[in-house]
Each structure stands twice: as structure tokens, then as C-alpha cells.
Amino acid sequence: MASDGNQEIWKDIRKYVHVLEENAISQLSINCVILGFDDRNLQVAVNRVQIGTHPMLLLPGGYVGQRENVSDAVRRIVRECTGMEDIPLRQFDVFGSASRSFFQDLAGEVELSTGAAKSIMDWLTRRFISLCYLALVDFREIALHPTEFYDDARWIGLDEAGCLALDHPDMVRSAREYLRKEMPHAPIASRLLPDTFTLPDLQALVEAILDRRVDRPNFRRKILGTGLLRKVGQDRSGIGRPADLYSFVHGRHTALVEDFRFGF
Amino acid sequence: MASDGNQEIWKDIRKYVHVLEENAISQLSINCVILGFDDRNLQVAVNRVQIGTHPMLLLPGGYVGQRENVSDAVRRIVRECTGMEDIPLRQFDVFGSASRSFFQDLAGEVELSTGAAKSIMDWLTRRFISLCYLALVDFREIALHPTEFYDDARWIGLDEAGCLALDHPDMVRSAREYLRKEMPHAPIASRLLPDTFTLPDLQALVEAILDRRVDRPNFRRKILGTGLLRKVGQDRSGIGRPADLYSFVHGRHTALVEDFRFGF
DNA sequence: ATTTAATGAGTCAATTTGACTCAAAAATAG
DNA sequence: CTATTTTTGAGTCAAATTGACTCATTAAAT
């Protein structure tokens, strides 16, 4: 793809790299694990990019402007990908191996002769340290946008994240671990679920995060016992007995956090 | 202090900055919250440095070499300060405000005329992003070493960390929060306590981390019920009835992690 | 009408928790 | 030496929580 004449693309990339050289903090990148919950499975937002002959799947990412707060940079990156403002973000890891670079894993893919100027190669071969952030979004409210130079943006199942390029599968693993640890301390489910949801939905989410099955009657008793949920209707869409619809009672998170159990 | 002729110091600093310019990743720094436990209180290791007229207390920190893994850089920094190898480290936060620089909080302290060359001012005024790491050490095994250009290295109580310079008090706060959340998931007490310790010691540590009191008989029952501790003697040093000495039974951490309670 | 899938509700013994009291061991004061 | 104080180990008991269940209800499919 890149080998035959999309000079235009390389020209754009060169310009983009030039802007980055001028305005961005060198050797520092951001990557975001944007999680959603659909079809009772955790999903992660990825970008498809074709730099060599094979397409690659990558986590959304970007760079930090010299006059930009890191947190604002992350917000900007998430906004570009999801269109959403004000999504809570958590930094959960740093990837800083000395050998980390785009080119390390691209060797053989990029053909220098076609249009990759020196400035681009400099950028691609440079050692980068990546700050990893986690964002939880309501799947149904998000329409993923491909950002500049990405062919495509899509959701993939969290279990399929092993197919990502570079060390991004490790980032997803780390994010998953972080999410599990964060469960008792922060509102998580309320960010991943739509405004109204069924208890089986909530249970499936908790099971996905904990990566183990939970007894249904006991889960119901425990969750309803917290007083975090308010019944708001019925869901008559599925097969079988209709499930009750619930909403989170706003502002009761903090109390639960102290109780050292699920945090929603 | 800095105003009158310690040209030597400034010369050393200039050389140091030059080396950093050549070898270190630009605009990226490391800070370490090194925690110990003594006198039944959490302590944090700090460096005293005098750049202007007033002395400042700072968390141990440093920079990342171009060919150095970030994790190795942190290990190096902790080693320089504590003399200990192989201390487990956890990255827990990133401080990345666009206005972060040494000079921001030094304004008025540094007198340019005396010896602070342009290269040094460039370094001091540069916007830095800091990666924060947490290290837990056995207080009794550590003798703090002042690193290059630091007058002094010492322990201060965790509650006194508000007196640190720059945004380092915020780093300590964040570290404390991280520690609390990490309790159920990682061996913490076994890293902070000496090889043998009493149950009241362990309880005081847990209370310091949780920042609340715990019922003594119930704490004993719960901890001993886990089978994590092995009685190894008696402590006859204090007043009152002698306390039994315990050691952690090695290799039983992982099981406890699943039980979602204290992790030692 | 019957079966099946999916969900809400309830039971009950075992375990854990929270709030206690009591006993033991050593330093200290009289 | 004896009594008191301090500190720690051990035990009690009711209440709450948990884990493993069964049963009942509702709606779609046959």
C-alpha cells in the first residue's frame, strides 16, 4: 500500500511530524485504553493504521504539547477518538523500556525509498516513553472517529486485544488488572453502563471485570442491599422473563467506597 | 548561601546539567516516595537541597538516560539514596501540568548573576513531566545517603510531608492514597516491617495505612486466622506484657490476594 | 397447552464480623 | 514485697454476611 505512490500521505505525515517536532514534548507519548461494555463483554477502542504492507491495530494515542497539561492532552486524544468531553481518565501505567520505538516493530514494513523522509525516520526510530490512561465510556453513546492518519477506528473484544501491535497488548493487560483493583474504590459500572440497565447486565459486567463467575441470587441480594440502585422500569426486549431496569442512585458512591466493596 | 562565591558548586552543577543535556531524556523526571515504618509511624525519605536562600526538602529524584529503561532509572535513583538493590517499585502517578518547572517555585531564590549560567537556567525553567514511583523499605536496614548536590538525606513523618517544596506534598498524598488502595492486592506490610515484628506493630502499620483505628482482638483473630504469620519468639523490650514475635510465612501472599483482604 | 429460557425471590447453615470482657505478664510505685 | 499500671493474649456472643441452594414468575418458542 505504502510502497506505491501515495506521496500525498507521506507528505501529510512529514508535515505532521514537523509540527510535532516543533510543538510536542520529545520522546513522550500517550496511549489510551478506552473501554466500553456491549453484548455483555468489555470492548476496547482501537485504531487501524497501515504504515507498511500489513495493517496494524493500535491503541489511540498522541503527544503532549509544550504548553499543554498532560491531562488535557489525554482529554484531547480521547475526544478526537470518541467525540466525548469530560470523560474521567486515570493514568495506570508507564511503558518505558529503552528499546521502545515504532520502528522496532516496523522493521521491514516501512520502505524508506518511497517517501519516508529523514525527519519521519527520525521520529519512527526514536525511543519513546508512553503514559497509559484508562477511560470508561458508555458504549451506546460513542461513535468512534478515526483520527488523522488512521484508516479506521473500531471496537474489539478485550480478549482479542492480543492482536494489537507493538506492546499495546501489554497495555491492555495492565489496564485490565488496574480496573480489577480499582473496583472497590471508584465508580466503574456507572461509567460503563447506560443510564438504565438490568441486574443481569450489571452482573455480567462485574464478572467481566473480575474474570470469574458470580452466584446470581447472592449478587442480587448484595447489590440491592447497598441501596445504590433504583428500579425504574422493565426491559421487555429479551427472551424469557423480563428483567427489571435499574438506575444508579447518584451521589452514594463515596459511602460505598468506605465499605470496601464494589464501587459504582 | 548561593549568592556569595561558591563558584565551585555552580561549576559542578553546570557540568552535571551538561551531562544531563547530553544523556538524559529531556523534560522527563522521576520522583520516588520511599516509605519506611518506624516508631509506629510511616516515614518518607527526603533530600535537603539549598539552591536559593532557603533550604528546600524534596523527594529523591532524577532523570532517565537515553539508553536506560525507566524502571532501571528508578532503581538507580533508589539505590543512590538507600543503598539497597532490588527494591520493588510501583509507578503510581504522573505530574504533568504545563507550568511545572523547578524555577516556577524558585523565583526570587536563584540569583542569576552569581554563577548560574544560561544552560542551568534553561534546565531550571524547563517544563518537566514527572513520573512518580513508590518504594517500601525496611526502615532499620536503610541508611539514607545524600545524592549529588543534596546537602542531606533524612526521614520525615508522613504527616509532615506538607512542608516539602514544589508539588511534592501532592505526590506524597497521592502515594498514600495509592498505598491504601493497594493494600488488599499486594504484599505491603512484609516490605515495611523487619523480619520479625509484634502484632501490635503490624496493627499500628495497618492503622497508619488505613488512617483509622482497628479493634485489637478482632485484628488479632483475623490476621492469625489467615495463617500468614508464624510465631518466632518473644519481644521483651517494652513495658507491659511481652508481645509475641512473628514472621511472615513466605509464599502465601497470592492466596490472600484472592480473598480480597489485607495483602502482606 | 406445554416446554424452555431467563429472571425475581426465599431458605438455611456456616462463616465472619463487631463489640465486648477477662486473663496474663512485666515494669513501676509505695 | 505488694499493689498498681501498662500492655498484650485469649475468649464470648449476638448480629450480620456469605455461600450454596431451591422455588416461583414471566414471556417467548414449540
Side-chain angles (χ1 to χ4, degrees):
Chain A
M1 286 288 267
S3 59
D4 58 311
N6 7 15
Q7 299 287 335
E8 274 310 309
I9 293 257
W10 285 111
K11 193 174 155 193
D12 286 351
I13 292 182
R14 189 154 41 209
K15 201 160 123 192
Y16 180 62
V17 167
H18 183 70
V19 170
L20 287 178
E21 290 282 5
E22 293 283 302
N23 300 318
I25 288 180
S26 170
Q27 302 188 266
L28 186 77
S29 62
I30 304 286
N31 281 112
C32 299
V33 174
I34 303 173
L35 292 184
F37 186 65
D38 183 54
D39 195 25
R40 302 205 168 168
N41 284 299
L42 286 170
Q43 314 275 329
V44 56
V46 299
N47 286 325
R48 208 179 78 106
V49 57
Q50 185 141 358
I51 294 193
T53 53
H54 298 302
M56 298 196 304
L57 292 179
L58 289 172
L59 292 173
Y63 305 94
V64 181
Q66 282 292 353
R67 289 175 186 78
E68 183 180 39
N69 295 334
V70 170
S71 55
D72 290 331
V74 183
R75 261 194 284 277
R76 170 175 53 76
I77 291 164
V78 171
R79 185 178 57 236
E80 286 167 0
C81 184
T82 67
M84 296 286 282
E85 302 273 355
D86 299 325
I87 289 179
L89 297 157
R90 300 294 293 261
Q91 188 268 328
F92 68 90
D93 210 343
V94 169
F95 279 70
S97 156
S99 59
R100 277 191 93 252
S101 78
F102 269 96
F103 192 72
Q104 177 197 14
D105 299 79
L106 253 60
E109 297 284 345
V110 179
E111 302 177 28
L112 305 180
S113 52
T114 52
K118 184 170 177 305
S119 64
I120 299 178
M121 284 308 292
D122 278 355
W123 187 263
L124 290 176
T125 58
R126 189 174 296 176
R127 179 254 176 105
F128 267 95
I129 289 162
S130 193
L131 311 180
C132 300
Y133 283 79
L134 178 67
L136 306 179
V137 301
D138 178 356
F139 186 91
R140 297 204 225 163
E141 293 211 346
I142 301 293
L144 293 182
H145 302 293
T147 47
E148 218 175 354
F149 304 114
Y150 289 109
D151 300 341
D152 186 21
R154 67 174 75 157
W155 295 98
I156 66 172
L158 200 53
D159 294 324
E160 309 157 39
C163 69
L164 296 182
L166 311 182
D167 49 10
H168 292 199
D170 297 319
M171 291 183 182
V172 173
R173 258 190 296 276
S174 176
R176 190 166 194 169
E177 184 66 11
Y178 175 81
L179 189 62
R180 198 175 63 79
K181 291 184 180 178
E182 195 68 4
M183 264 259 290
H185 304 285
I188 288 180
S190 56
R191 307 233 160 103
L192 285 166
L193 291 172
D195 286 338
T196 65
F197 51 88
T198 69
L199 278 193
D201 284 338
L202 179 55
Q203 180 178 346
L205 173 57
V206 169
E207 289 180 339
I209 294 174
L210 258 42
D211 200 22
R212 63 178 170 89
R213 301 306 306 274
V214 170
D215 180 82
R216 183 166 51 87
N218 294 338
F219 179 80
R220 295 181 59 83
R221 176 181 56 188
K222 187 165 182 177
I223 292 298
L224 293 177
T226 64
L228 275 177
L229 301 183
R230 190 182 60 237
K231 198 179 297 188
V232 293
Q234 261 192 345
D235 172 37
R236 320 185 63 101
S237 62
I239 185 178
R241 175 173 176 174
D244 291 335
L245 282 175
Y246 290 89
S247 274
F248 282 104
V249 177
H250 204 63
R252 293 227 32 194
H253 304 165
T254 41
L256 254 282
V257 171
E258 293 309 308
D259 287 352
F260 223 68
R261 276 290 179 277
F262 301 117
F264 301 121
Chain B
M1 288 287 265
S3 61
D4 56 311
N6 11 13
Q7 298 288 334
E8 272 313 306
I9 292 259
W10 283 113
K11 194 174 155 194
D12 286 350
I13 292 183
R14 187 156 40 208
K15 201 160 118 192
Y16 179 62
V17 166
H18 183 68
V19 169
L20 286 178
E21 290 282 4
E22 292 283 303
N23 300 319
I25 288 180
S26 169
Q27 300 189 268
L28 186 77
S29 61
I30 304 287
N31 280 113
C32 298
V33 175
I34 303 174
L35 292 184
F37 186 65
D38 183 53
D39 196 26
R40 302 207 167 167
N41 283 300
L42 286 169
Q43 314 275 330
V44 56
V46 299
N47 286 325
R48 209 179 77 105
V49 59
Q50 184 141 357
I51 294 193
T53 52
H54 299 301
M56 299 196 302
L57 291 179
L58 289 172
L59 292 174
Y63 305 94
V64 181
Q66 282 291 353
R67 289 175 186 78
E68 183 181 37
N69 295 334
V70 170
S71 54
D72 289 332
V74 183
R75 262 194 285 275
R76 170 175 54 77
I77 291 164
V78 171
R79 185 177 57 234
E80 284 167 1
C81 185
T82 66
M84 297 286 283
E85 301 274 354
D86 299 324
I87 289 178
L89 297 156
R90 299 293 295 258
Q91 189 268 329
F92 67 88
D93 209 344
V94 169
F95 279 69
S97 156
S99 58
R100 277 190 94 249
S101 76
F102 270 96
F103 192 73
Q104 177 197 13
D105 300 79
L106 252 59
E109 298 284 345
V110 178
E111 304 178 27
L112 304 181
S113 51
T114 52
K118 184 172 178 304
S119 65
I120 299 178
M121 284 307 294
D122 277 355
W123 186 264
L124 288 176
T125 57
R126 190 174 297 175
R127 178 258 177 102
F128 268 95
I129 290 163
S130 193
L131 311 181
C132 300
Y133 283 77
L134 178 67
L136 307 179
V137 300
D138 177 357
F139 186 90
R140 296 205 225 164
E141 293 212 346
I142 300 292
L144 293 182
H145 303 292
T147 46
E148 219 174 356
F149 305 114
Y150 289 110
D151 300 342
D152 185 19
R154 68 176 71 157
W155 295 99
I156 66 172
L158 201 53
D159 294 325
E160 310 158 37
C163 68
L164 295 182
L166 310 184
D167 49 10
H168 291 199
D170 298 319
M171 290 182 184
V172 173
R173 259 191 293 277
S174 176
R176 189 164 195 169
E177 183 68 11
Y178 175 80
L179 190 61
R180 199 176 61 80
K181 290 184 181 178
E182 194 68 3
M183 265 258 289
H185 304 286
I188 288 181
S190 57
R191 305 232 160 103
L192 285 166
L193 291 172
D195 286 338
T196 65
F197 51 88
T198 68
L199 277 192
D201 285 338
L202 179 55
Q203 181 179 344
L205 173 56
V206 169
E207 287 179 342
I209 295 174
L210 258 42
D211 200 22
R212 62 179 172 88
R213 303 304 307 274
V214 169
D215 181 80
R216 183 166 50 86
N218 293 337
F219 178 80
R220 295 181 58 82
R221 177 181 55 188
K222 187 164 180 174
I223 292 298
L224 293 177
T226 63
L228 275 178
L229 301 183
R230 188 183 61 236
K231 197 179 298 187
V232 293
Q234 258 192 350
D235 172 38
R236 318 185 64 101
S237 63
I239 186 178
R241 173 172 178 174
D244 290 336
L245 283 175
Y246 289 89
S247 273
F248 282 104
V249 177
H250 203 63
R252 290 226 34 189
H253 307 161
T254 40
L256 253 282
V257 169
E258 293 310 307
D259 287 353
F260 221 68
R261 274 292 178 273
F262 302 116
F264 301 121

